[in-house]
Amino acid sequence: RKEVEQDPGPFNVPEGATVAFNCTYSNSASQSFFWYRQDCRKEPKLLMSVYSSGNEDGRFTAQLNRASQYISLLIRDSKLSDSATYLCVVNTGGFKTIFGAGTRLFVKA
Amino acid sequence: DTGVSQNPRHKITKRGQNVTFRCDPISEHNRLYWYRQTLGQGPEFLTYFQNEAQLEKSRLLSDRFSAERPKGSFSTLEIQRTEQGDSAMYLCASTDTSKAEQYFGPGTRLTVT
């Protein structure tokens, strides 16, 4: 079993739709959680950290469920520019950071 | 631009040749990571430095790979006797001790022919 698992997609949604991604992690001692966005042939860029109480940044909402060991990302009112791969990232303490394989999102006009 | 920089951006080499990549982290960051990413996968951890000390190496990092960060600033990643399976994007990221989120450079895309 992979330490961080994501549905690879792709998710194909129309503009304006709401889409949600989940990510599960295996290490219950994991401490920090993030979502990164990666455009084709570009480097990953931090989208948002994920806090225990959940957090929102504009159209993006992240949630953490420690009991079930998953995190989620909700994107409202999808834009064409949201098309990218979304990477779930888990830090298990200290330096160790594990990336999921990513979920591909295509937003269509 | 005070972000992470990497050079070269692209490298094409023949099998068996040695290659070296450079990473310049954000200046105040003391932690530096190297990752490898292949198509359809997330970045895979290769090695980690805190200041000049290399504190961890992945099992992915065979004896042909070596990394240095001699003065705790820039870092180099060398691959000796390259193989076609080494073709990938090599990413560098940095952060400081108080944070867990990492900031990535643009990567070096290696193609071994």
Side-chain angles (χ1 to χ4, degrees), chain A residues 23-49:
Chain A
C23 163
T24 59
Y25 60 95
S26 61
N27 188 337
S28 59
S30 298
Q31 298 180 5
S32 307
F33 308 87
F34 307 91
W35 284 102
Y36 278 70
R37 171 195 168 124
Q38 187 170 27
D39 293 298
C40 187
R41 302 180 76 83
K42 299 287 188 179
E43 74 273 22
K45 292 187 177 179
L46 179 66
L47 179 65
M48 58 196 304
S49 302

PDB file of all heavy atoms in Angstrom, chain A residues 23-49:
ATOM      1  N   CYS A  23      -7.731  12.289  -0.590  1.00  0.00           N
ATOM      2  CA  CYS A  23      -6.401  11.701  -0.510  1.00  0.00           C
ATOM      3  C   CYS A  23      -6.342  10.959   0.815  1.00  0.00           C
ATOM      4  O   CYS A  23      -6.760  11.498   1.842  1.00  0.00           O
ATOM      5  CB  CYS A  23      -5.368  12.826  -0.578  1.00  0.00           C
ATOM      6  SG  CYS A  23      -3.715  12.373  -0.027  1.00  0.00           S
ATOM      7  N   THR A  24      -5.847   9.730   0.799  1.00  0.00           N
ATOM      8  CA  THR A  24      -5.693   8.984   2.045  1.00  0.00           C
ATOM      9  C   THR A  24      -4.220   8.786   2.355  1.00  0.00           C
ATOM     10  O   THR A  24      -3.387   8.699   1.448  1.00  0.00           O
ATOM     11  CB  THR A  24      -6.383   7.609   1.977  1.00  0.00           C
ATOM     12  OG1 THR A  24      -5.808   6.863   0.884  1.00  0.00           O
ATOM     13  CG2 THR A  24      -7.870   7.752   1.751  1.00  0.00           C
ATOM     14  N   TYR A  25      -3.887   8.731   3.628  1.00  0.00           N
ATOM     15  CA  TYR A  25      -2.508   8.521   4.051  1.00  0.00           C
ATOM     16  C   TYR A  25      -2.468   7.395   5.067  1.00  0.00           C
ATOM     17  O   TYR A  25      -3.437   7.147   5.794  1.00  0.00           O
ATOM     18  CB  TYR A  25      -1.895   9.805   4.606  1.00  0.00           C
ATOM     19  CG  TYR A  25      -2.601  10.396   5.799  1.00  0.00           C
ATOM     20  CD1 TYR A  25      -2.181  10.102   7.092  1.00  0.00           C
ATOM     21  CD2 TYR A  25      -3.679  11.251   5.636  1.00  0.00           C
ATOM     22  CE1 TYR A  25      -2.827  10.635   8.195  1.00  0.00           C
ATOM     23  CE2 TYR A  25      -4.329  11.794   6.729  1.00  0.00           C
ATOM     24  CZ  TYR A  25      -3.906  11.485   8.003  1.00  0.00           C
ATOM     25  OH  TYR A  25      -4.550  12.017   9.084  1.00  0.00           O
ATOM     26  N   SER A  26      -1.346   6.704   5.124  1.00  0.00           N
ATOM     27  CA  SER A  26      -1.278   5.490   5.942  1.00  0.00           C
ATOM     28  C   SER A  26      -0.640   5.704   7.312  1.00  0.00           C
ATOM     29  O   SER A  26      -0.899   4.922   8.230  1.00  0.00           O
ATOM     30  CB  SER A  26      -0.500   4.401   5.194  1.00  0.00           C
ATOM     31  OG  SER A  26       0.822   4.835   4.929  1.00  0.00           O
ATOM     32  N   ASN A  27       0.167   6.745   7.452  1.00  0.00           N
ATOM     33  CA  ASN A  27       0.885   6.950   8.712  1.00  0.00           C
ATOM     34  C   ASN A  27       0.071   7.832   9.651  1.00  0.00           C
ATOM     35  O   ASN A  27      -0.078   9.028   9.426  1.00  0.00           O
ATOM     36  CB  ASN A  27       2.243   7.580   8.431  1.00  0.00           C
ATOM     37  CG  ASN A  27       3.128   7.646   9.662  1.00  0.00           C
ATOM     38  OD1 ASN A  27       2.648   7.622  10.795  1.00  0.00           O
ATOM     39  ND2 ASN A  27       4.433   7.733   9.455  1.00  0.00           N
ATOM     40  N   SER A  28      -0.433   7.213  10.703  1.00  0.00           N
ATOM     41  CA  SER A  28      -1.293   7.954  11.625  1.00  0.00           C
ATOM     42  C   SER A  28      -0.533   9.039  12.384  1.00  0.00           C
ATOM     43  O   SER A  28      -1.143   9.917  12.980  1.00  0.00           O
ATOM     44  CB  SER A  28      -1.941   6.988  12.617  1.00  0.00           C
ATOM     45  OG  SER A  28      -0.942   6.296  13.354  1.00  0.00           O
ATOM     46  N   ALA A  29       0.794   8.969  12.378  1.00  0.00           N
ATOM     47  CA  ALA A  29       1.594   9.975  13.064  1.00  0.00           C
ATOM     48  C   ALA A  29       1.887  11.187  12.187  1.00  0.00           C
ATOM     49  O   ALA A  29       2.616  12.088  12.593  1.00  0.00           O
ATOM     50  CB  ALA A  29       2.913   9.352  13.531  1.00  0.00           C
ATOM     51  N   SER A  30       1.329  11.227  10.982  1.00  0.00           N
ATOM     52  CA  SER A  30       1.572  12.350  10.075  1.00  0.00           C
ATOM     53  C   SER A  30       1.155  13.654  10.732  1.00  0.00           C
ATOM     54  O   SER A  30       0.147  13.715  11.438  1.00  0.00           O
ATOM     55  CB  SER A  30       0.805  12.151   8.767  1.00  0.00           C
ATOM     56  OG  SER A  30       1.265  10.987   8.110  1.00  0.00           O
ATOM     57  N   GLN A  31       1.945  14.693  10.462  1.00  0.00           N
ATOM     58  CA  GLN A  31       1.775  15.931  11.203  1.00  0.00           C
ATOM     59  C   GLN A  31       1.281  17.107  10.372  1.00  0.00           C
ATOM     60  O   GLN A  31       0.527  17.937  10.863  1.00  0.00           O
ATOM     61  CB  GLN A  31       3.109  16.303  11.871  1.00  0.00           C
ATOM     62  CG  GLN A  31       3.579  15.272  12.868  1.00  0.00           C
ATOM     63  CD  GLN A  31       4.897  15.649  13.515  1.00  0.00           C
ATOM     64  OE1 GLN A  31       5.429  16.728  13.289  1.00  0.00           O
ATOM     65  NE2 GLN A  31       5.435  14.758  14.333  1.00  0.00           N
ATOM     66  N   SER A  32       1.759  17.197   9.149  1.00  0.00           N
ATOM     67  CA  SER A  32       1.411  18.362   8.324  1.00  0.00           C
ATOM     68  C   SER A  32       0.907  17.883   6.985  1.00  0.00           C
ATOM     69  O   SER A  32       1.354  16.854   6.466  1.00  0.00           O
ATOM     70  CB  SER A  32       2.633  19.262   8.100  1.00  0.00           C
ATOM     71  OG  SER A  32       3.229  19.609   9.318  1.00  0.00           O
ATOM     72  N   PHE A  33      -0.007  18.672   6.437  1.00  0.00           N
ATOM     73  CA  PHE A  33      -0.671  18.255   5.203  1.00  0.00           C
ATOM     74  C   PHE A  33      -0.798  19.455   4.270  1.00  0.00           C
ATOM     75  O   PHE A  33      -1.052  20.581   4.728  1.00  0.00           O
ATOM     76  CB  PHE A  33      -2.064  17.696   5.530  1.00  0.00           C
ATOM     77  CG  PHE A  33      -2.042  16.634   6.598  1.00  0.00           C
ATOM     78  CD1 PHE A  33      -2.116  16.976   7.940  1.00  0.00           C
ATOM     79  CD2 PHE A  33      -1.922  15.301   6.261  1.00  0.00           C
ATOM     80  CE1 PHE A  33      -2.078  16.008   8.927  1.00  0.00           C
ATOM     81  CE2 PHE A  33      -1.881  14.319   7.235  1.00  0.00           C
ATOM     82  CZ  PHE A  33      -1.961  14.676   8.578  1.00  0.00           C
ATOM     83  N   PHE A  34      -0.642  19.173   2.983  1.00  0.00           N
ATOM     84  CA  PHE A  34      -0.663  20.258   2.022  1.00  0.00           C
ATOM     85  C   PHE A  34      -1.296  19.778   0.728  1.00  0.00           C
ATOM     86  O   PHE A  34      -1.282  18.586   0.406  1.00  0.00           O
ATOM     87  CB  PHE A  34       0.779  20.721   1.698  1.00  0.00           C
ATOM     88  CG  PHE A  34       1.599  21.062   2.905  1.00  0.00           C
ATOM     89  CD1 PHE A  34       2.383  20.092   3.516  1.00  0.00           C
ATOM     90  CD2 PHE A  34       1.585  22.335   3.434  1.00  0.00           C
ATOM     91  CE1 PHE A  34       3.139  20.376   4.630  1.00  0.00           C
ATOM     92  CE2 PHE A  34       2.335  22.638   4.565  1.00  0.00           C
ATOM     93  CZ  PHE A  34       3.104  21.656   5.158  1.00  0.00           C
ATOM     94  N   TRP A  35      -1.786  20.732  -0.030  1.00  0.00           N
ATOM     95  CA  TRP A  35      -2.135  20.512  -1.433  1.00  0.00           C
ATOM     96  C   TRP A  35      -1.210  21.385  -2.280  1.00  0.00           C
ATOM     97  O   TRP A  35      -1.042  22.577  -2.010  1.00  0.00           O
ATOM     98  CB  TRP A  35      -3.589  20.888  -1.711  1.00  0.00           C
ATOM     99  CG  TRP A  35      -4.569  19.872  -1.207  1.00  0.00           C
ATOM    100  CD1 TRP A  35      -5.319  19.946  -0.074  1.00  0.00           C
ATOM    101  CD2 TRP A  35      -4.915  18.630  -1.828  1.00  0.00           C
ATOM    102  NE1 TRP A  35      -6.100  18.827   0.052  1.00  0.00           N
ATOM    103  CE2 TRP A  35      -5.873  18.000  -1.014  1.00  0.00           C
ATOM    104  CE3 TRP A  35      -4.511  17.980  -3.002  1.00  0.00           C
ATOM    105  CZ2 TRP A  35      -6.443  16.768  -1.320  1.00  0.00           C
ATOM    106  CZ3 TRP A  35      -5.068  16.750  -3.315  1.00  0.00           C
ATOM    107  CH2 TRP A  35      -6.030  16.157  -2.485  1.00  0.00           C
ATOM    108  N   TYR A  36      -0.623  20.748  -3.282  1.00  0.00           N
ATOM    109  CA  TYR A  36       0.189  21.444  -4.263  1.00  0.00           C
ATOM    110  C   TYR A  36      -0.508  21.326  -5.610  1.00  0.00           C
ATOM    111  O   TYR A  36      -1.190  20.344  -5.900  1.00  0.00           O
ATOM    112  CB  TYR A  36       1.590  20.817  -4.383  1.00  0.00           C
ATOM    113  CG  TYR A  36       2.578  21.252  -3.332  1.00  0.00           C
ATOM    114  CD1 TYR A  36       2.443  20.843  -2.005  1.00  0.00           C
ATOM    115  CD2 TYR A  36       3.663  22.058  -3.658  1.00  0.00           C
ATOM    116  CE1 TYR A  36       3.355  21.233  -1.048  1.00  0.00           C
ATOM    117  CE2 TYR A  36       4.589  22.452  -2.697  1.00  0.00           C
ATOM    118  CZ  TYR A  36       4.426  22.033  -1.393  1.00  0.00           C
ATOM    119  OH  TYR A  36       5.340  22.417  -0.439  1.00  0.00           O
ATOM    120  N   ARG A  37      -0.270  22.300  -6.443  1.00  0.00           N
ATOM    121  CA  ARG A  37      -0.757  22.280  -7.815  1.00  0.00           C
ATOM    122  C   ARG A  37       0.448  22.165  -8.742  1.00  0.00           C
ATOM    123  O   ARG A  37       1.480  22.806  -8.515  1.00  0.00           O
ATOM    124  CB  ARG A  37      -1.494  23.592  -8.083  1.00  0.00           C
ATOM    125  CG  ARG A  37      -1.866  23.792  -9.524  1.00  0.00           C
ATOM    126  CD  ARG A  37      -2.255  25.219  -9.814  1.00  0.00           C
ATOM    127  NE  ARG A  37      -2.332  25.398 -11.254  1.00  0.00           N
ATOM    128  CZ  ARG A  37      -3.412  25.837 -11.888  1.00  0.00           C
ATOM    129  NH1 ARG A  37      -4.486  26.184 -11.188  1.00  0.00           N
ATOM    130  NH2 ARG A  37      -3.409  25.949 -13.191  1.00  0.00           N
ATOM    131  N   GLN A  38       0.294  21.330  -9.774  1.00  0.00           N
ATOM    132  CA  GLN A  38       1.380  21.190 -10.746  1.00  0.00           C
ATOM    133  C   GLN A  38       0.814  21.277 -12.152  1.00  0.00           C
ATOM    134  O   GLN A  38      -0.022  20.465 -12.548  1.00  0.00           O
ATOM    135  CB  GLN A  38       2.134  19.867 -10.558  1.00  0.00           C
ATOM    136  CG  GLN A  38       3.373  19.766 -11.435  1.00  0.00           C
ATOM    137  CD  GLN A  38       4.251  18.582 -11.092  1.00  0.00           C
ATOM    138  OE1 GLN A  38       3.791  17.563 -10.585  1.00  0.00           O
ATOM    139  NE2 GLN A  38       5.562  18.705 -11.352  1.00  0.00           N
ATOM    140  N   ASP A  39       1.267  22.273 -12.892  1.00  0.00           N
ATOM    141  CA  ASP A  39       0.909  22.396 -14.299  1.00  0.00           C
ATOM    142  C   ASP A  39       1.837  21.520 -15.122  1.00  0.00           C
ATOM    143  O   ASP A  39       2.946  21.176 -14.689  1.00  0.00           O
ATOM    144  CB  ASP A  39       0.998  23.855 -14.735  1.00  0.00           C
ATOM    145  CG  ASP A  39      -0.053  24.705 -14.050  1.00  0.00           C
ATOM    146  OD1 ASP A  39      -1.251  24.442 -14.259  1.00  0.00           O
ATOM    147  OD2 ASP A  39       0.309  25.600 -13.277  1.00  0.00           O
ATOM    148  N   CYS A  40       1.392  21.201 -16.330  1.00  0.00           N
ATOM    149  CA  CYS A  40       2.121  20.279 -17.186  1.00  0.00           C
ATOM    150  C   CYS A  40       3.563  20.747 -17.396  1.00  0.00           C
ATOM    151  O   CYS A  40       3.810  21.888 -17.799  1.00  0.00           O
ATOM    152  CB  CYS A  40       1.400  20.154 -18.523  1.00  0.00           C
ATOM    153  SG  CYS A  40       2.097  18.885 -19.582  1.00  0.00           S
ATOM    154  N   ARG A  41       4.514  19.880 -17.066  1.00  0.00           N
ATOM    155  CA  ARG A  41       5.943  20.128 -17.274  1.00  0.00           C
ATOM    156  C   ARG A  41       6.481  21.317 -16.465  1.00  0.00           C
ATOM    157  O   ARG A  41       7.480  21.929 -16.820  1.00  0.00           O
ATOM    158  CB  ARG A  41       6.257  20.302 -18.755  1.00  0.00           C
ATOM    159  CG  ARG A  41       5.841  19.097 -19.586  1.00  0.00           C
ATOM    160  CD  ARG A  41       6.151  19.287 -21.055  1.00  0.00           C
ATOM    161  NE  ARG A  41       7.564  19.115 -21.343  1.00  0.00           N
ATOM    162  CZ  ARG A  41       8.163  17.956 -21.539  1.00  0.00           C
ATOM    163  NH1 ARG A  41       7.472  16.849 -21.475  1.00  0.00           N
ATOM    164  NH2 ARG A  41       9.452  17.897 -21.809  1.00  0.00           N
ATOM    165  N   LYS A  42       5.773  21.622 -15.368  1.00  0.00           N
ATOM    166  CA  LYS A  42       6.225  22.678 -14.465  1.00  0.00           C
ATOM    167  C   LYS A  42       6.463  22.083 -13.084  1.00  0.00           C
ATOM    168  O   LYS A  42       6.131  20.942 -12.823  1.00  0.00           O
ATOM    169  CB  LYS A  42       5.165  23.779 -14.370  1.00  0.00           C
ATOM    170  CG  LYS A  42       4.854  24.464 -15.674  1.00  0.00           C
ATOM    171  CD  LYS A  42       5.968  25.382 -16.089  1.00  0.00           C
ATOM    172  CE  LYS A  42       5.552  26.213 -17.296  1.00  0.00           C
ATOM    173  NZ  LYS A  42       6.643  27.141 -17.712  1.00  0.00           N
ATOM    174  N   GLU A  43       7.045  22.903 -12.194  1.00  0.00           N
ATOM    175  CA  GLU A  43       7.280  22.434 -10.843  1.00  0.00           C
ATOM    176  C   GLU A  43       6.019  22.519  -9.997  1.00  0.00           C
ATOM    177  O   GLU A  43       5.135  23.337 -10.268  1.00  0.00           O
ATOM    178  CB  GLU A  43       8.400  23.256 -10.179  1.00  0.00           C
ATOM    179  CG  GLU A  43       8.013  24.669  -9.764  1.00  0.00           C
ATOM    180  CD  GLU A  43       8.182  25.693 -10.858  1.00  0.00           C
ATOM    181  OE1 GLU A  43       8.202  25.318 -12.065  1.00  0.00           O
ATOM    182  OE2 GLU A  43       8.301  26.889 -10.504  1.00  0.00           O
ATOM    183  N   PRO A  44       5.922  21.706  -8.947  1.00  0.00           N
ATOM    184  CA  PRO A  44       4.791  21.825  -8.024  1.00  0.00           C
ATOM    185  C   PRO A  44       4.833  23.170  -7.307  1.00  0.00           C
ATOM    186  O   PRO A  44       5.901  23.666  -6.941  1.00  0.00           O
ATOM    187  CB  PRO A  44       5.018  20.687  -7.027  1.00  0.00           C
ATOM    188  CG  PRO A  44       5.969  19.758  -7.700  1.00  0.00           C
ATOM    189  CD  PRO A  44       6.828  20.617  -8.567  1.00  0.00           C
ATOM    190  N   LYS A  45       3.644  23.731  -7.094  1.00  0.00           N
ATOM    191  CA  LYS A  45       3.545  24.989  -6.348  1.00  0.00           C
ATOM    192  C   LYS A  45       2.540  24.813  -5.224  1.00  0.00           C
ATOM    193  O   LYS A  45       1.482  24.218  -5.416  1.00  0.00           O
ATOM    194  CB  LYS A  45       3.130  26.129  -7.273  1.00  0.00           C
ATOM    195  CG  LYS A  45       4.204  26.477  -8.293  1.00  0.00           C
ATOM    196  CD  LYS A  45       3.858  27.714  -9.086  1.00  0.00           C
ATOM    197  CE  LYS A  45       4.999  28.046 -10.037  1.00  0.00           C
ATOM    198  NZ  LYS A  45       4.731  29.231 -10.859  1.00  0.00           N
ATOM    199  N   LEU A  46       2.894  25.339  -4.071  1.00  0.00           N
ATOM    200  CA  LEU A  46       2.028  25.210  -2.910  1.00  0.00           C
ATOM    201  C   LEU A  46       0.700  25.897  -3.167  1.00  0.00           C
ATOM    202  O   LEU A  46       0.653  27.078  -3.504  1.00  0.00           O
ATOM    203  CB  LEU A  46       2.715  25.829  -1.687  1.00  0.00           C
ATOM    204  CG  LEU A  46       1.918  25.798  -0.395  1.00  0.00           C
ATOM    205  CD1 LEU A  46       1.725  24.356   0.086  1.00  0.00           C
ATOM    206  CD2 LEU A  46       2.621  26.625   0.680  1.00  0.00           C
ATOM    207  N   LEU A  47      -0.381  25.141  -3.006  1.00  0.00           N
ATOM    208  CA  LEU A  47      -1.722  25.694  -3.145  1.00  0.00           C
ATOM    209  C   LEU A  47      -2.224  26.145  -1.767  1.00  0.00           C
ATOM    210  O   LEU A  47      -2.632  27.280  -1.594  1.00  0.00           O
ATOM    211  CB  LEU A  47      -2.662  24.651  -3.747  1.00  0.00           C
ATOM    212  CG  LEU A  47      -4.120  25.051  -3.938  1.00  0.00           C
ATOM    213  CD1 LEU A  47      -4.228  26.175  -4.958  1.00  0.00           C
ATOM    214  CD2 LEU A  47      -4.975  23.863  -4.364  1.00  0.00           C
ATOM    215  N   MET A  48      -2.199  25.221  -0.830  1.00  0.00           N
ATOM    216  CA  MET A  48      -2.613  25.577   0.519  1.00  0.00           C
ATOM    217  C   MET A  48      -2.203  24.505   1.518  1.00  0.00           C
ATOM    218  O   MET A  48      -2.059  23.332   1.159  1.00  0.00           O
ATOM    219  CB  MET A  48      -4.126  25.810   0.603  1.00  0.00           C
ATOM    220  CG  MET A  48      -4.984  24.654   0.186  1.00  0.00           C
ATOM    221  SD  MET A  48      -6.706  25.122  -0.122  1.00  0.00           S
ATOM    222  CE  MET A  48      -7.207  25.894   1.401  1.00  0.00           C
ATOM    223  N   SER A  49      -1.992  24.943   2.743  1.00  0.00           N
ATOM    224  CA  SER A  49      -1.808  24.009   3.844  1.00  0.00           C
ATOM    225  C   SER A  49      -3.182  23.519   4.276  1.00  0.00           C
ATOM    226  O   SER A  49      -4.199  24.144   3.970  1.00  0.00           O
ATOM    227  CB  SER A  49      -1.116  24.712   5.011  1.00  0.00           C
ATOM    228  OG  SER A  49       0.133  25.230   4.598  1.00  0.00           O
TER     229      SER A  49
END
